[in-house]
Amino acid sequence: TRLVGIGAIAVVLGGISTLLALALLKLIALFTNIFFYGRISTELVSPAGTHLGPFIVAIPVIGGLIIGVMARFGSERIRGHGIPEAIEAILLGGSRIQPRLALLKPVSAAISIGSGGPFGAEGPIIMTGGAVGSLIAQFMHLTSAERKTLLVAGAAAGMSATFATPVAAVLLAVELLLFEWKPRSLIPVALASATAGLLRTYVLGVGPLFPTAAHPAFVGPVGLIACLAAGLLAGGLSALLTMGVYTAEDAFLRLPFHWMWWPAIGGIAVGIGGLIFPSALGVGYDVIATLLRGDATTGIILGVLLVKSTIWAIALGSGTSGGVLAPLLMIGGALGGLEALVFPDLGPGFWPAIGMAAMLGGTMRAPLTAIVFTLELTHDIDLLLPLLCATVVAHGFTVLTMRRSILTEKIDP
């Protein structure tokens, strides 16, 4: 009877998280239009189309200043990309999240991304959905285990609504947040994610988010060996990116300024990167789609690998607000685009898709989530075996070469 009640709450929470995901995406669009185009609109646009010229450098700095003030005088918990904060709340905070975080986190993320921050929307909506789930549990005086279940249910529903990936959202919950595979938690989380997946079709449209042309069902031994190589390369790049974020964090810690100013300082690097390669700014879903179609030019591929990855690491190290899934997809896709120049030709977008999953699996230490996430984003089931080979190798590489992942390194025991 207890499970039935928690499951019913989770269904409601799935609907709430869907509306929160819609609100966050609209907020991001609103701030993007305000910052880069000087107009009031919720139409989804890319910062790359702005005509600000050199003045584009100032926009991320302004956004960083606003976020720094919000973090200092609102809640310091808005800093970061969402998933580590959710893990910390579960492990160390009894699955309790401050009520104001449910409001401040999405607004700060929308300002960060809308002002050009090279992040995704998924981390903040995961944290926001989790905050709402935790608040409901606290209001109803539920047990610690039930608070955790509803926190994770809200987080999974937020991811499901954002990307139209309900199964991957459940796997993310299992691999990173639940720390168990029991009916008491799995069933409510799955119900919340499924509810969000259903309702998303009415408010955001049906999936897949990045449809791709069908790829060969049989890639052969040479193709699979190349997938293993792609996994090694993605694992190496994952380790480099993670170390880049750590280096940036350590560099900001040595600055003789209060951390409130760090996002603005990081915004200088973001602005310069945007001046060099405008497509590095913002969420970048359009760039991901271009990579998966196989239409990306060498300039786009190098711009993502060199500029996007650099400003992402610096901005994340500065403690601003934003998610990591979309940037990792873009960087992994660019790596795959580079590999497509030398690896066997298995169709447009094949290697970018492999690179995306391998980058997620290596960096986040969640290989099953990365595999299913890519399948749900593309709806190409023929990618399953190649994805398995590349993603597990990337995961193994980072496990053997790095003590902890980017999601857990800064969590204080």
Side-chain angles (χ1 to χ4, degrees):
T1 54
R2 197 76 178 173
L3 178 60
V4 172
I6 298 299
I9 297 171
V11 170
V12 175
L13 185 57
I16 295 172
S17 294
T18 304
L19 296 177
L20 289 173
L22 174 64
L24 177 58
L25 293 174
K26 292 294 185 182
L27 269 179
I28 292 172
L30 174 64
F31 284 117
T32 302
N33 278 284
I34 290 174
F35 280 118
F36 289 96
Y37 299 97
R39 64 194 181 202
I40 303 296
S41 173
T42 56
E43 177 187 359
L44 292 174
V45 292
S46 170
T50 186
H51 299 291
L52 290 175
F55 294 104
I56 198 173
V57 177
I59 302 301
V61 178
I62 295 171
L65 284 172
I66 297 172
I67 293 164
V69 171
M70 290 179 66
R72 183 170 185 179
F73 300 104
S75 172
E76 188 178 346
R77 308 302 299 171
I78 68 172
R79 304 172 69 215
H81 51 89
I83 299 177
E85 290 77 17
I87 295 174
E88 191 170 19
I90 292 168
L91 291 178
L92 307 177
S95 300
R96 291 185 174 89
I97 296 180
Q98 299 171 338
R100 55 186 170 179
L101 200 60
L103 175 64
L104 292 177
K105 184 64 178 182
V107 173
S108 66
I111 294 172
S112 174
I113 300 169
S115 61
F119 303 111
E122 68 292 324
I125 193 58
I126 284 173
M127 189 61 178
T128 305
V132 173
S134 174
L135 292 176
I136 292 174
Q138 292 176 61
F139 177 77
M140 299 182 68
H141 303 289
L142 301 181
T143 66
S144 175
E146 291 167 340
R147 281 199 307 272
K148 179 183 72 172
T149 297
L150 289 183
L151 186 157
V152 177
M159 177 177 171
S160 175
T162 303
F163 284 112
T165 55
V167 180
V170 175
L171 286 175
L172 179 78
V174 171
E175 289 193 290
L176 295 179
L177 299 174
L178 283 177
F179 310 109
E180 66 179 27
W181 191 302
K182 296 181 179 179
R184 68 174 185 178
S185 55
L186 180 63
I187 291 172
V189 169
L191 288 173
S193 183
T195 302
L198 169 66
L199 296 179
R200 182 198 194 278
T201 61
Y202 296 102
V203 297
L204 291 169
V206 297
L209 201 61
F210 306 115
T212 61
H215 291 103
F218 178 72
V219 301
V222 175
L224 289 182
I225 291 172
C227 288
L228 298 178
L232 284 174
L233 292 171
L237 184 55
S238 295
L240 286 175
L241 284 175
T242 303
M243 288 187 290
V245 173
Y246 296 164
T247 301
E249 289 177 341
D250 293 339
F252 278 102
L253 284 171
R254 290 193 293 267
L255 291 177
F257 307 111
H258 191 278
W259 57 256
M260 181 183 78
W261 304 105
W262 295 355
I265 297 171
I268 297 173
V270 174
I272 294 172
L275 188 61
I276 298 170
F277 181 60
S279 295
L281 300 177
V283 176
Y285 290 161
D286 54 332
V287 178
I288 296 173
T290 300
L291 289 164
L292 286 173
R293 288 196 305 267
D295 296 336
T297 64
T298 304
I300 291 176
I301 292 172
L302 293 178
V304 172
L305 288 175
L306 298 177
V307 179
K308 178 80 174 185
S309 58
T310 300
I311 66 173
W312 173 73
I314 294 173
L316 198 61
S318 73
T320 190
S321 182
V324 300
L325 290 184
L328 290 175
L329 287 177
M330 189 187 299
I331 295 168
L335 177 63
L338 200 61
E339 293 165 348
L341 301 175
V342 294
F343 284 180
D345 184 4
L346 295 172
F350 178 88
W351 293 111
I354 298 301
M356 288 178 184
M359 185 62 65
L360 284 179
T363 308
M364 298 182 64
R365 304 277 182 92
L368 295 180
T369 298
I371 293 167
V372 176
F373 188 55
T374 304
L375 291 178
E376 289 188 291
L377 286 177
T378 62
H379 280 200
D380 188 358
I381 193 64
D382 292 334
L383 290 173
L384 183 57
L385 180 58
L387 287 174
L388 177 65
C389 294
T391 305
V392 170
V393 168
H395 175 59
F397 183 94
T398 57
V399 167
L400 292 173
T401 57
M402 302 190 68
R403 186 171 61 92
R404 299 170 72 178
S405 78
I406 195 173
L407 302 182
T408 59
E409 180 66 24
K410 296 302 178 181
I411 295 178
D412 295 323

